[in-house]
Amino acid sequence: TDFHYLPLKSLSLEKETLFAKEVESQNAQGDAYDALRVELAAASKLDTGDDESYLENLLGAMQRTTWSVPSAYYHSLPDISLYDHSRMTSALAVALAEKTPAEIEKLHGAVQHQFWGKLEKGDDALLNEPALLLIGGDISGVQNFIYTISSKQAAKTLRGRSFYLQLLTEAILRYVLHELELPYTNVIYSGGGHFFLLAPLSAKEKFDEIQKNVSRKLLKHHGTALYLALGKSEVSAMDLQEGNFPVAWNRMYSDLNRAKKQKYTELGAEFHEAVFLPKEHGGNQEKICAICGTESENLKKFKDDDSVEEYKRCALCASFAEDFGKQLPKTLFVGIGFIEPKENKREDAFSALREFGVMVELAPKNESEIRFREKAERAVIWALDDLKKEQSFPTVKDVPTAHTTRYTVNSIPMHTNDLPIDFDELKEKSEGVYRLGVLRMDVDDLGKIFKDGLGDLASLSRMATLSFQTTLFFEGWLKKICEKEGKEKDKNRKNRIYAVYAGGDDLFLIGPWNLMPSLAQDIANDWAEYTGHNPDIHISGGVAFIGGKYPVYQAADDAEKMLNEAKGKTGKNAFAFLDYTWYWDEFAEINKNFELIRGIVEGDKGPKAIMQTLRELTVQKTDSLEKDEKLLFGPWIWQGMYRIMRMIEREKNKEVKEKLQKIQTNRNKENYKNLESWGTSARWAQVYTRKSKKENR
């Protein structure tokens, strides 16, 4: 087996840094370790102002410098990073800290005896008794919350809503940590509306009250649109042995799923009063937000940048559009300020976050200081991208502050005047038919990979490493794929791709339809390379075509149906496009054939009839096989040979003639078995070369 290794480099969104390669020489490794050690030492000397900020700053520095440093090498498989090993060791130490030194010593002795295969009396009971708590959180309703809006200001609002959910997940996680008095090192994973953490066994005593409080806060600010389910599982020392941890993980997930099926039962009659009792107002169209459709007493008039028509929107939607959606493209730093949680009225996004003890401020690249609305107890500043040499983190005056990197796919097409390009304008940038492409993708069977993929090697640290590496691709490297520039118009995505959502293991992207096939293929190819071409770790996707004013929720549903079509294919690892589903290697061939057909018909060089001919032959074959699926030969074979041969004979352009001959040769060689793929390539070429009338745009 050829082993490949992550380069010993400080974390950055560069291919030569993120993607595994052949092992470096001993001298090169030594130099790399020295450079990383110097960088880590410099970061660890930063005076943050208090212990908790120092710890979180050190965690961020270790993520940057030790993410690819193996935690162990000799006599060990070097597949766990020093970063993940260290933070999980710290999490275990905190979770076990409530035990007495004598209890810890006895438990440690039992673990040692088990490791050497020399169990003593009482060891078995010690190893199997609960030692700590695994907690999982899952925010449900995320998709509906993001997508169920009108098309008004969709380009501004969508990304703002998505980013707010990222912030809300962080705020709730921070609230749980605050209530349990745990440091951030105890977080195993956070992203995509989920989080997982380790806690002491005593956390069970506060667990139900935390669930109630979070439910009350979300119900106040978001009604029943968003709900946090919390699940837990007791973990023993034996559960932490290699190969055993997925069992505890599955117990936690079972409890989490139980909580999701019994929403709001923790609130009892309080929920009934909040949701079902008649209000003093209701049914007043004058009080309906034009964006989200909910009723609000706090509506303000607004109008689109290019429109004279006025609408009314609620404070929450206004903050998604103006404070987040409009500001995000210019944002490099996000300041998170922590303060004691406080009861708040239902107003904008900031009031909801403040309820959990979190304040947020967005800062552009040249911002030198972040000012919060209230005096923060401490703060952490996220850098959403790699910093250039001349850039540095802004300060927060008189507040203990930590620095970390939180990659975010911040892709929103913008005008030169810093206003977002709306979806109607983005549609106009497409080739051929004026349509947008909506792309959805996610990793196939990721839950099964976590459950069974690591086999006997499964451990807490390995699952933490798997989570971190997956997040790094979807929240980091995907940013580079979306911003890729190219000389060919179908490969240049600069300022053309709108990232509605990218996190965890899935994505939702919108752009001119003709850019989406190559974008999807690049994501699949890079994911395969990123995972070392592991045949069991792959991704599926689907793309739907929509108009500019098409409802966002319907576009999301259409793309999800296409994604489900791809995942319904045997073995998955597929892409649904133009009503057919293909494995990625098949789609790569379809792309080649599309380019061949396009080269024939574009610019009126050759016969456009080739496109319709291939499509008609495909339909003829498909209809025949529906009547008799065992049919091997049919009229599509000889009709295809005759019709294409006639085109070749009539064609005077030598280049076009050669391309037509390639199609004919390929068809003869394959005996028209892959005709369906040629039909898809021909349809692709049709929509690409068709010129839409202005009224149909």
Side-chain angles (χ1 to χ4, degrees):
T1 303
D2 292 329
F3 288 98
H4 288 74
Y5 299 86
L6 289 170
L8 289 166
K9 291 185 177 182
S10 184
L11 182 60
S12 66
L13 294 183
E14 301 295 337
K15 194 159 192 177
E16 58 269 24
T17 299
L18 296 183
F19 287 68
K21 60 181 184 180
E22 293 182 1
V23 68
E24 296 173 314
S25 69
Q26 294 254 340
N27 288 338
Q29 289 182 50
D31 292 342
Y33 277 121
D34 286 340
L36 292 173
R37 185 168 55 251
V38 169
E39 185 178 349
L40 179 59
S44 65
K45 291 176 183 176
L46 180 69
D47 183 10
T48 57
D50 74 348
D51 292 343
E52 198 166 357
S53 294
Y54 176 81
L55 179 64
E56 192 160 346
N57 189 73
L58 183 60
L59 184 67
M62 287 195 69
Q63 174 185 288
R64 190 172 62 253
T65 57
T66 66
W67 74 282
S68 65
V69 174
S71 61
Y73 196 90
Y74 295 103
H75 310 296
S76 178
L77 185 67
D79 64 334
I80 301 170
S81 72
L82 183 58
Y83 163 66
D84 288 312
H85 173 75
S86 299
R87 67 191 181 97
M88 288 302 97
T89 301
S90 173
L92 287 170
V94 171
L96 294 171
E98 65 184 10
K99 292 182 177 293
T100 66
E103 288 173 328
I104 292 176
E105 190 173 345
K106 282 182 69 177
L107 181 59
H108 183 249
V111 170
Q112 283 185 312
H113 300 157
Q114 195 270 342
F115 181 78
W116 296 112
K118 296 178 180 180
L119 286 176
E120 297 181 359
K121 185 178 180 181
D123 284 348
D124 192 60
L126 271 175
L127 290 170
N128 285 285
E129 73 177 21
L132 48 91
L133 203 65
L134 175 64
I135 295 175
D138 184 355
I139 299 178
S140 59
V142 166
Q143 291 202 21
N144 285 339
F145 181 81
I146 296 176
Y147 308 136
T148 308
I149 60 172
S150 73
S151 58
K152 296 180 182 67
Q153 287 208 318
K156 274 190 193 176
T157 308
L158 267 177
R159 188 67 189 96
R161 294 175 87 89
S162 177
F163 187 67
Y164 167 73
L165 279 170
Q166 183 180 345
L167 294 173
L168 182 64
T169 303
E170 184 72 14
I172 294 173
L173 169 59
R174 295 284 185 167
Y175 176 78
V176 174
L177 292 172
H178 174 270
E179 293 300 298
L180 296 177
E181 299 179 0
L182 295 175
Y184 204 72
T185 49
N186 279 57
V187 179
I188 301 171
Y189 167 77
S190 174
H194 309 272
F195 60 78
F196 307 101
L197 56 94
L198 287 180
L201 276 177
S202 61
K204 289 189 297 182
E205 299 166 12
K206 298 181 180 179
F207 190 83
D208 291 342
E209 191 60 31
I210 291 173
Q211 174 75 80
K212 280 184 183 180
N213 288 337
V214 174
S215 295
R216 287 189 187 109
K217 294 173 189 296
L218 287 177
L219 194 60
K220 181 201 296 186
H221 290 274
H222 297 296
T224 56
L226 296 172
Y227 177 80
L228 174 80
L230 286 173
K232 63 183 183 300
S233 170
E234 294 179 340
V235 179
S236 67
M238 189 59 74
D239 288 326
L240 294 172
Q241 299 294 314
E242 279 191 350
N244 292 347
F245 191 68
V247 177
W249 190 270
N250 290 338
R251 287 200 305 266
M252 178 272 295
Y253 250 111
S254 295
D255 195 50
L256 194 56
N257 288 329
R258 173 203 54 77
K260 289 166 72 173
K261 292 174 183 176
Q262 299 175 358
K263 293 179 183 177
Y264 303 108
T265 53
E266 67 276 6
L267 295 181
E270 186 181 334
F271 174 71
H272 182 273
E273 291 175 12
V275 176
F276 296 108
L277 287 186
K279 306 291 189 298
E280 292 182 4
H281 57 86
N284 186 350
Q285 287 298 313
E286 293 296 314
K287 300 291 185 181
I288 300 296
C289 173
I291 304 294
C292 65
T294 58
E295 189 170 343
S296 173
E297 288 294 307
N298 187 18
L299 294 180
K300 290 185 179 179
K301 291 181 179 180
F302 80 99
K303 63 181 180 180
D304 293 327
D305 300 313
D306 59 349
S307 172
V308 295
E309 188 177 357
E310 284 192 333
Y311 306 97
K312 289 182 179 179
R313 65 183 177 188
C314 64
L316 194 60
C317 285
S319 60
F320 294 153
E322 305 302 328
D323 297 308
F324 293 150
K326 196 173 180 179
Q327 300 303 320
L328 266 173
K330 300 177 283 184
T331 297
L332 178 58
F333 303 104
V334 176
I336 313 286
F338 304 110
I339 193 169
E340 196 64 27
K342 183 178 77 172
E343 290 287 322
N344 252 330
K345 288 182 180 179
R346 177 179 180 174
E347 291 179 344
D348 58 12
F350 300 103
S351 65
L353 296 170
R354 178 66 181 83
E355 188 103 18
F356 293 100
V358 166
M359 298 178 292
V360 173
E361 293 295 334
L362 275 60
K365 298 174 184 177
N366 56 355
E367 193 78 37
S368 61
E369 185 180 345
I370 289 177
R371 299 176 182 86
F372 293 109
R373 291 163 172 76
E374 300 176 62
K375 174 74 172 177
E377 295 172 5
R378 65 182 195 87
V380 59
I381 299 176
W382 292 350
L384 302 184
D385 202 347
D386 297 324
L387 301 189
K388 296 176 181 176
K389 286 184 179 179
E390 68 274 12
Q391 293 173 331
S392 60
F393 280 87
T395 60
V396 185
K397 191 175 181 182
D398 299 327
V399 174
T401 305
H403 300 158
T404 191
T405 301
R406 182 68 67 93
Y407 291 126
T408 300
V409 183
N410 215 5
S411 179
I412 302 176
M414 301 290 288
H415 290 291
T416 53
N417 62 359
D418 284 342
L419 289 174
I421 295 173
D422 68 32
F423 289 149
D424 268 337
E425 294 173 296
L426 197 58
K427 180 183 65 174
E428 296 285 332
K429 298 181 183 298
S430 58
E431 295 290 329
V433 295
Y434 290 93
R435 290 291 182 272
L436 292 173
V438 181
L439 174 66
R440 296 188 72 167
M441 301 178 76
D442 69 30
V443 177
D444 297 320
D445 301 318
L446 187 63
K448 189 176 180 183
I449 292 170
F450 271 92
K451 180 183 175 184
D452 304 319
L454 295 171
D456 293 339
L457 293 174
S459 67
L460 173 61
S461 293
R462 284 195 173 93
M463 292 183 80
T465 296
L466 179 59
S467 297
F468 174 72
Q469 292 288 348
T470 302
T471 300
L472 188 55
F473 182 90
F474 284 94
E475 295 181 6
W477 183 247
L478 185 66
K479 180 189 190 80
K480 293 296 184 182
I481 301 176
C482 289
E483 295 172 353
K484 185 177 178 181
E485 290 190 75
K487 293 180 181 178
E488 298 176 57
K489 55 188 174 183
D490 296 333
K491 303 291 173 62
N492 185 12
R493 301 171 195 135
K494 191 72 174 175
N495 209 35
R496 294 289 187 275
I497 303 300
Y498 188 106
V500 177
Y501 176 80
D505 73 315
D506 62 339
L507 58 90
F508 182 111
L509 307 174
I510 297 176
W513 77 269
N514 56 292
L515 299 184
M516 307 318 272
S518 67
L519 173 59
Q521 185 80 66
D522 280 357
I523 292 169
N525 290 346
D526 280 7
W527 176 249
E529 185 179 351
Y530 185 77
T531 58
H533 296 280
N534 188 318
D536 296 318
I537 305 178
H538 38 72
I539 191 169
S540 291
V543 65
F545 291 8
I546 63 166
K549 294 190 182 301
Y550 196 67
V552 175
Y553 70 88
Q554 189 60 60
D557 284 347
D558 291 349
E560 186 172 30
K561 285 174 186 172
M562 296 299 284
L563 174 58
N564 290 336
E565 286 286 327
K567 287 185 170 293
K569 200 169 176 70
T570 303
K572 304 181 182 181
N573 195 21
F575 181 53
F577 177 66
L578 290 174
D579 298 328
Y580 282 92
T581 303
W582 310 96
Y583 295 115
W584 288 109
D585 57 345
E586 293 175 326
F587 186 71
E589 192 64 29
I590 287 168
N591 195 358
K592 274 193 211 172
N593 295 340
F594 156 70
E595 294 292 352
L596 181 61
I597 297 169
R598 175 182 155 193
I600 292 172
V601 302
E602 202 167 34
D604 297 323
K605 284 188 293 188
K608 286 185 167 54
I610 186 64
M611 297 184 291
Q612 192 58 31
T613 295
L614 290 170
R615 289 198 62 190
E616 286 174 359
L617 293 171
T618 301
V619 171
Q620 192 177 46
K621 179 183 177 183
T622 303
D623 289 346
S624 298
L625 290 179
E626 282 180 0
K627 297 173 186 174
D628 182 2
E629 61 182 21
K630 295 181 180 178
L631 199 62
L632 296 177
F633 300 95
W636 61 86
I637 296 177
W638 48 85
Q639 285 186 21
M641 292 178 67
Y642 172 76
R643 292 171 67 176
I644 296 173
M645 185 57 70
R646 291 289 292 157
M647 289 182 203
I648 294 170
E649 290 171 354
R650 294 192 198 104
E651 185 54 52
K652 293 190 168 76
N653 184 308
K654 184 180 177 182
E655 181 187 348
V656 172
K657 187 186 282 281
E658 287 175 355
K659 289 178 178 177
L660 287 169
Q661 188 64 55
K662 277 186 182 179
I663 295 176
Q664 184 73 308
T665 302
N666 186 290
R667 299 302 82 245
N668 291 347
K669 186 170 61 177
E670 295 291 334
N671 203 20
Y672 283 73
K673 286 180 183 177
N674 62 348
L675 185 57
E676 292 85 353
S677 68
W678 280 94
T680 297
S681 298
R683 187 179 172 199
W684 187 354
Q686 278 185 324
V687 294
Y688 187 92
T689 56
R690 183 188 304 159
K691 297 302 177 186
S692 296
K693 293 182 180 178
K694 190 171 183 179
E695 59 269 21
N696 293 328
R697 292 185 182 185

